[in-house]
Structures are given as C-alpha cells and as structure tokens.
Amino acid sequence: MKRKIWVRFMVIAYAAAFALLFTPAPSVNATNISDLEREKQDLERQKDDAQRQQNEQQQRLDGVSGQISSLQNDADEVAGEIEEMDAALVETIASVEIIEEEIDEKEEQIQITTSEYEEAKATEEAQYEAMKLRIKFMYEKGDATYLQLLLESQSIGEAINKAEYIKQLYDYDRKMLEAYQTARMETLAIKEQLEDERAELEAQQHELEEEKASLELMLQEKQRLYDNYEVQIAQARQEAAVYKANIKKQTEAIRQLEAAASKKESEIEAAKKAEEEARKAKEEALRRQAEEAQQKEDSNSQDNSSQSSSSSQDSGGSSGSSSDYASASSYSGSGSKGQQIADYACQFIGNPYVPGGTSLTQGADCSGFVWRVYKDFGYTVPRTSYGCRSAGTGVSYSEAQPGDIVCYAGHVGLYIGNGQIVHASTQRTGIKITTATYKEILTVRRIV
C-alpha cells in the first residue's frame, strides 16, 4: 500500500515537473514591467519639467509682450508729438519766409520813400533859395522901387494891378514853400512809419527764428527718443521671438514625451496582458497535467502556482492634487464689468510680488498685476504706472467704482469698493488689500 502511494506521488511530481519544464515562459516578466513603469515615470517627469520650462517661457513672453505694448504706446505718443512739432515747424518756417518777403517789400518802400523825401527836400530847398533871392532883390531895391512902379503906372487900375501882382508873387512863394515843406514832412512821416514797421517785422523774424531753432532741437530730441523706443521694441521683439521658438520646441518635446509615455503605457499594458495570458496558460497546463495524475495533489500545486503568479502582478500609482483659479469668463453676469474685474482680481490675494512680472499666480508688479487682470477681460491698459495715469477716463475719488484704476506716484492698484484697493504691494507683502487713501492719490481712471 505504501509502495502504491509512493509511486503515485512520484508520478504526480514528474507530471508537475514536466508541466513546468515544457510550458512556454511568459514573454515579459514582472521585473520587465517594473522597468517599463519606471521608464514611463521618467518620461512623465521629463514632460513635467518641459511643461514647467514652457510655462516659464510663456510668462517671460507675456512680460515681454506687455513691455512691447507699453513701449509701442510710448512710441506712438512720441510719434504724435513729433508730427505736431513738425507741423508747427513747417508753419514757423512759412511764417519766417512770409516776414522775410514783407521785410524786403518794406525795404523797397523805404528806398522809394527815401528817394521821394530827398526829392521833396531838394525842391523845398530850391524854392526856399528862390524866395530868398526875390526877397533879397526887393529888399535891396528898397520901397522906392515899389513906389516907382506904382507912380509909373498910367492909371490907378494899372497901379492896383502891379501892387496886386507883387502881393500875389509873395503869396505864391509862401504857398509853394509851405506846400513843399508839407510834402517833405509827410514823406518823412511815411518813411519813419515804414522803418518802424520794418523794425517790428525784424523783431517778429527774430522771435520766429528762435522758435524755429527751439522746435528743431525739440524735434531732434523727440526723434532720438522715438528711435530709442524703436530699438527697444526691436530688441523686445527679438527676445519674444526667442521665447516663442523655445515654447514651440518645448511644445514639440512635450508632444513627443507624451507620445513616448503613451507608447510605454501601451507596452506596459501589453506586457501585463502577456503575463496574464502566460499565467493563465501555465495554470491551465498544470491543471490538465494534475487532473491526469491526481486531482487532489494537483489542486495544491495550482494553489501554490496561483499565489506565485498573483504576487507578480502588484503595481503602484501616484496621485496628485492641484488647485485652479476661476477664469475671468466665469465672472460674467455677476454684477457690473468693473465689479467682475474687482472680484476676479481679489482671488489672487497672497500671491507674490515679482518686479517686472505679469503672472497673477507666479508673481507680478503693481502695473503688471493691473495690466494682466484687464488683459484677461479683453482690455488693454498701459504696462507702466505712469502710463495708467492717462488711461481711460479720469474720475474723482469720490466717484470711484469697483474696477477703477487708482494711480499714485510710482504705483497703481484696483479699486474694489468700500475705500479699498487690491494691489501688488511689495516683495515682502505680495498681492493684498489696502485702504485706498494710504498715500496721496494722483488720479482715478475708469476703463469700463
């Protein structure tokens, strides 16, 4: 009896050994699956790193884009000033040319009047000399001559006529002399008036020449400033192009890593499936061999094989959590547009202050914070605190409404109502709420 049991045991043992020896081995074992999972995790880490770098490049691109927008606004403003100055310079040059023509005309008139004056003066002097000669002649002849002329008259009428002739001659001399004197004085007055007008025109010409020189200097300075803006914009655009190229490369790298991770996941699933099929095939083979040998002993062998196979299928996972901020569009319909902007901005309280930054989550400065909040709602405001002073429409602080931009010397914030603002304050305090009147308010600007 014992011998039969021993023989039966040996048959079962040989059958089990035969089954283990000739059953096909799995194509991928548990170790290979672990390697694949580690490779997949490594790909995911690389993808996360690439995504983080892409986000950093995007933030820098956003910052440069804001800088370009701000520089372009400044350049456009200077271009407008240049255009105005150029028009004023053209007008001044035209005025100078007109005055020069008027001065030339005055010179011609003065020359003509001077000639007329000299001619009138010469005529007056000639008349005066002629009158003196006649007076001298009559004086030297004495009254007897006049008396003789009267006595020699044949009649009283002739004597009266001669006396009348003498009087008329004297009166004529006086009238001619007075007429010539008057003509000379009038010509002299016209000459002096023309000289005064010329002097006035020359003074205007001098002032216009100074104004022209001043405008040319200002125009040169504005042009230099505009050219400087153009250089800065060109440099910023080159920088933005580099960031865009990096983002494009990182996007392609992320796509490739995602594809590789997806492929690795498929390989893991295929390996697990192959392992499972191999395990099932092995179990089936053992079950058939054990049934042929001995049902009871084979059952124990299958249990051991099942436990061994099931232990090789354990795998782990990872989980994470993230918190998201509400988008700007999710605030639509909740009050006025300004209230929506104020509510949206307040959810970033506690985030860091970063000089030159424009990220509401990773960090922004005061104007970058205001600029990005409005940008998320589709509005464009200046990127600098100085530029914000002229944005939108000015209102008094007593009329301030949520969403208005409150401007200070070198700082800006968003009014949220109840005498408070939300703003990127300092590197120590970050984005926070502060009383609006904590420092002197320069202006309040309404955008929406």
Side-chain angles (χ1 to χ4, degrees):
M1 181 68 182
K2 291 181 179 179
R3 181 178 178 82
K4 289 181 179 180
I5 294 173
W6 184 82
V7 172
R8 187 167 54 197
F9 174 78
M10 291 298 295
V11 171
I12 294 171
Y14 278 115
F18 180 83
L20 290 172
L21 181 62
F22 292 97
T23 299
S27 60
V28 180
N29 56 30
T31 303
N32 290 336
I33 293 175
S34 299
D35 292 340
L36 289 172
E37 289 178 341
R38 282 194 295 272
E39 291 174 1
K40 178 190 173 185
Q41 291 174 358
D42 184 58
L43 289 171
E44 289 177 345
R45 281 193 296 271
Q46 293 179 37
K47 186 190 77 172
D48 292 341
D49 291 340
Q51 186 68 58
R52 184 172 57 256
Q53 293 175 8
Q54 185 186 51
N55 291 338
E56 292 174 355
Q57 294 293 311
Q58 185 63 52
Q59 291 174 8
R60 293 177 181 177
L61 177 60
D62 292 342
V64 172
S65 298
Q67 182 183 2
I68 291 173
S69 178
S70 177
L71 289 171
Q72 190 62 60
N73 289 338
D74 293 341
D76 292 343
E77 182 178 350
V78 172
E81 294 176 356
I82 289 174
E83 185 175 353
E84 292 177 0
M85 288 182 183
D86 191 54
L89 180 59
V90 170
E91 183 178 351
T92 301
I93 292 173
S95 298
V96 170
E97 292 177 351
I98 291 172
I99 286 180
E100 288 176 348
E101 292 177 358
E102 292 180 354
I103 290 175
D104 292 339
E105 292 177 359
K106 293 296 180 185
E107 287 288 351
E108 293 178 1
Q109 293 176 4
I110 289 172
Q111 290 178 3
I112 294 172
T113 305
T114 300
S115 299
E116 292 176 350
Y117 170 76
E118 294 295 335
E119 183 178 348
K121 182 178 178 183
T123 303
E124 176 196 357
E125 291 176 351
Q127 177 64 28
Y128 179 67
E129 292 298 326
M131 186 181 71
K132 286 197 301 181
L133 287 174
R134 281 191 288 272
I135 292 172
K136 180 180 180 183
F137 177 77
M138 289 186 291
Y139 175 77
E140 290 174 349
K141 294 296 182 179
D143 293 338
T145 303
Y146 293 109
L147 181 59
Q148 183 179 356
L149 289 173
L150 293 174
L151 292 175
E152 289 177 353
S153 300
Q154 299 298 321
S155 64
I156 295 175
E158 184 180 356
I160 293 173
N161 288 336
K162 289 183 178 181
E164 183 66 25
Y165 171 75
I166 294 171
K167 182 177 182 301
Q168 288 177 357
L169 182 63
Y170 177 77
D171 290 341
Y172 170 78
D173 285 337
R174 293 298 304 174
K175 287 180 181 180
M176 291 301 295
L177 181 61
E178 290 174 358
Y180 291 142
Q181 287 178 341
T182 301
R184 180 178 63 81
M185 295 303 295
E186 289 176 351
T187 304
L188 180 61
I190 292 173
K191 177 185 176 185
E192 290 177 349
Q193 180 180 354
L194 289 172
E195 289 177 346
D196 290 342
E197 291 175 355
R198 181 185 63 181
E200 183 176 352
L201 288 172
E202 289 174 345
Q204 293 180 10
Q205 181 187 22
H206 177 71
E207 292 175 358
L208 286 171
E209 290 289 352
E210 289 187 342
E211 182 178 349
K212 174 187 172 185
S214 176
L215 283 171
E216 288 175 343
L217 288 175
M218 293 172 64
L219 191 60
Q220 291 174 2
E221 177 63 22
K222 290 296 180 181
Q223 187 63 50
R224 185 195 63 76
L225 184 61
Y226 179 81
D227 293 340
N228 186 44
Y229 280 132
E230 287 295 307
V231 171
Q232 293 183 53
I233 289 172
Q235 292 175 347
R237 284 177 176 165
Q238 290 178 354
E239 188 177 351
V242 172
Y243 292 146
K244 287 179 180 178
N246 290 340
I247 290 172
K248 184 178 180 180
K249 289 170 59 178
Q250 288 157 357
T251 300
E252 179 61 22
I254 290 171
R255 187 192 65 77
Q256 293 178 358
L257 289 169
E258 287 177 344
S262 178
K263 181 179 179 181
K264 196 65 63 177
E265 179 65 25
S266 298
E267 291 177 0
I268 291 171
E269 292 297 325
K272 288 182 178 180
K273 183 178 180 181
E275 183 186 43
E276 182 66 17
E277 290 176 352
R279 186 185 66 78
K280 289 181 179 180
K282 180 179 178 181
E283 288 180 353
E284 181 64 21
L286 289 173
R287 186 184 65 79
R288 286 196 306 268
Q289 293 294 330
E291 284 180 353
E292 292 176 358
Q294 183 62 251
Q295 181 68 36
K296 196 171 188 179
E297 287 78 1
D298 188 56
S299 175
N300 293 331
S301 176
Q302 287 178 359
D303 290 340
N304 293 332
S305 177
S306 176
Q307 292 174 3
S308 174
S309 298
S310 61
S311 64
S312 64
Q313 299 182 59
D314 295 337
S315 62
S318 62
S319 62
S321 61
S322 62
S323 60
D324 297 326
Y325 292 94
S327 65
S329 60
S330 66
Y331 284 84
S332 61
S334 59
S336 65
K337 181 64 71 175
Q339 187 64 58
Q340 295 173 24
I341 291 173
D343 294 341
Y344 174 72
C346 285
Q347 69 174 329
F348 302 104
I349 293 172
N351 287 343
Y353 176 102
V354 175
T358 58
S359 173
L360 301 177
T361 56
Q362 301 299 319
D365 57 19
C366 64
S367 59
F369 174 71
V370 172
W371 175 83
R372 188 50 186 258
V373 168
Y374 268 99
K375 183 177 183 294
D376 289 350
F377 279 84
Y379 296 94
T380 299
V381 298
R383 176 61 183 80
T384 62
S385 58
Y386 177 80
C388 286
R389 297 182 194 175
S390 58
T393 304
V395 298
S396 65
Y397 172 64
S398 61
E399 298 173 331
Q401 296 177 3
D404 290 347
I405 300 177
V406 182
C407 301
Y408 308 90
H411 193 68
V412 291
L414 287 173
Y415 189 72
I416 60 174
N418 298 323
Q420 294 181 318
I421 61 169
V422 59
H423 61 139
S425 178
T426 64
Q427 288 180 294
R428 186 176 65 85
T429 59
I431 299 173
K432 69 173 187 175
I433 291 177
T434 304
T435 301
T437 56
Y438 82 105
K439 62 189 299 187
E440 182 182 359
I441 297 174
L442 299 181
T443 181
V444 179
R445 313 302 298 185
R446 181 162 298 159
I447 308 301
V448 297

